[in-house]
Amino acid sequence: MISSRNGLARLQQRLEGRRSFFRYASGSSRARYKAIELDEAELKLFSLLNRVKPDSDIRIAGGWVRDKLLGKTCEDVDIALEDETGAVFSKALLAEYNRLEGSAAQAVTLSARPDQSKHLETTMFTLYGKSIDAVHLRKESYTENSRVPAEVHFGTPQEDSNRRDFTINALFYNLRSEKIEDFTGRGLRDLENGILRTPVDPLTTLGDDPLRLLRGIRFACQLGFELEDDFKRYSGHHSG
């Protein structure tokens, strides 16, 4: 776990050689952003994504952002779209890729999988050696005693961040601005300090999906992070 003292310096050391640096927002929110280095495959992929949707903010979400900031490689890329579904977007993307590369890449669209905490149709394909999932930004509402969302709608980046399990998994990489976006305001700091914290009240996050308790334990073991006190306190309501 990265300690709170000198945490920033240690995280910078992990990223040494990747030409990463910090950027700060100019607005009143004082949200902090971090730029990261891309490998050759990611440069090709993200260039293609921007070519297909030049006027939209395409974001890379979740584990890829977390792992890149921790100095790890990540072959799985989750695309979060503002204004269309993954199935619609993938048609245009693969058409352009196949035209440029002379290939015949295809996408597979999978239905929702509540048993795996996948509550939305997901489109999957592989480009430049990266396994890609494409979905739209969303907000969800749940009924009591159900892990399946009662309603799923297109959402804002803030709403999409709030529905995620932990702040460190709610970070986005914006392809157009080439910046890390931390809409919870705590994701980067929690990453520095090695803390697993829910984006909203733990009772809400765990009530929406109690399996997030097991995910928290798994992440704590894998990353060497510490579960935030409120999460540990409220997890008793959803265990046993």
Side-chain angles (χ1 to χ4, degrees):
M1 186 179 76
I2 306 173
S3 65
S4 57
R5 185 176 183 181
N6 296 324
L8 177 59
R10 294 186 187 183
L11 187 57
Q12 287 175 317
Q13 288 174 1
R14 288 187 180 188
L15 299 169
E16 192 174 54
R18 296 172 180 268
R19 300 199 304 275
S20 297
F21 56 93
F22 288 94
R23 292 177 178 174
Y24 292 83
S26 59
S28 58
S29 65
R30 302 296 296 169
R32 187 180 57 201
Y33 300 89
K34 181 179 291 184
I36 56 181
E37 183 78 1
L38 305 177
D39 63 31
E40 183 177 354
E42 289 161 346
L43 285 169
K44 290 180 178 179
L45 172 61
F46 296 169
S47 176
L48 176 65
L49 292 170
N50 278 328
R51 184 183 303 120
V52 172
K53 296 278 288 185
D55 298 321
S56 296
D57 284 311
I58 299 175
R59 294 174 169 87
I60 309 303
W64 181 90
V65 184
R66 178 198 68 229
D67 287 349
K68 293 289 283 190
L69 290 177
L70 289 174
K72 301 179 180 182
T73 58
C74 187
E75 303 305 321
D76 298 324
V77 179
D78 293 339
I79 299 174
L81 303 164
E82 282 193 326
D83 53 6
E84 63 185 357
T85 66
V88 172
F89 174 73
S90 67
K91 292 180 180 179
L93 178 66
L94 291 174
E96 180 67 5
Y97 174 82
N98 290 335
R99 184 186 69 82
L100 293 172
E101 302 294 332
S103 65
Q106 295 182 331
V108 174
T109 298
L110 301 179
S111 300
R113 293 170 289 170
D115 61 314
Q116 299 180 33
S117 296
K118 301 292 186 181
H119 304 309
L120 188 71
E121 178 184 271
T122 303
T123 300
M124 307 173 64
F125 46 93
T126 299
L127 298 180
Y128 304 113
K130 302 290 183 179
S131 297
I132 303 166
D133 288 6
V135 298
H136 61 75
L137 293 169
R138 62 195 187 272
K139 57 181 178 180
E140 302 169 340
S141 62
Y142 292 78
T143 58
E144 190 174 359
N145 299 322
S146 175
R147 293 176 50 241
V148 180
E151 295 181 344
V152 177
H153 302 284
F154 279 89
T156 66
Q158 181 71 68
E159 290 168 332
D160 195 272
S161 295
N162 289 345
R163 69 165 188 83
R164 293 179 180 268
D165 52 4
F166 299 102
T167 59
I168 65 169
N169 295 332
L171 299 168
F172 292 107
Y173 180 67
N174 187 310
L175 298 190
R176 185 157 62 166
S177 67
E178 298 183 347
K179 291 181 179 180
I180 299 298
E181 298 174 333
D182 183 6
F183 288 96
T184 71
R186 294 175 294 185
L188 286 171
R189 182 60 63 183
D190 286 342
L191 197 66
E192 292 166 12
N193 293 334
I195 298 295
L196 288 167
R197 185 195 316 273
T198 56
V200 296
D201 181 80
L203 279 177
T204 299
T205 299
L206 291 172
D208 288 346
D209 188 349
L211 284 184
R212 287 168 173 167
L213 171 59
L214 298 180
R215 284 172 58 83
I217 295 171
R218 177 167 61 86
F219 279 126
C221 294
Q222 289 178 342
L223 301 176
F225 279 25
E226 182 179 349
L227 292 167
E228 190 261 342
D229 288 340
D230 283 343
F231 182 91
K232 290 187 288 187
R233 184 179 307 114
Y234 292 137
S235 63
H237 292 271
H238 299 275
S239 62

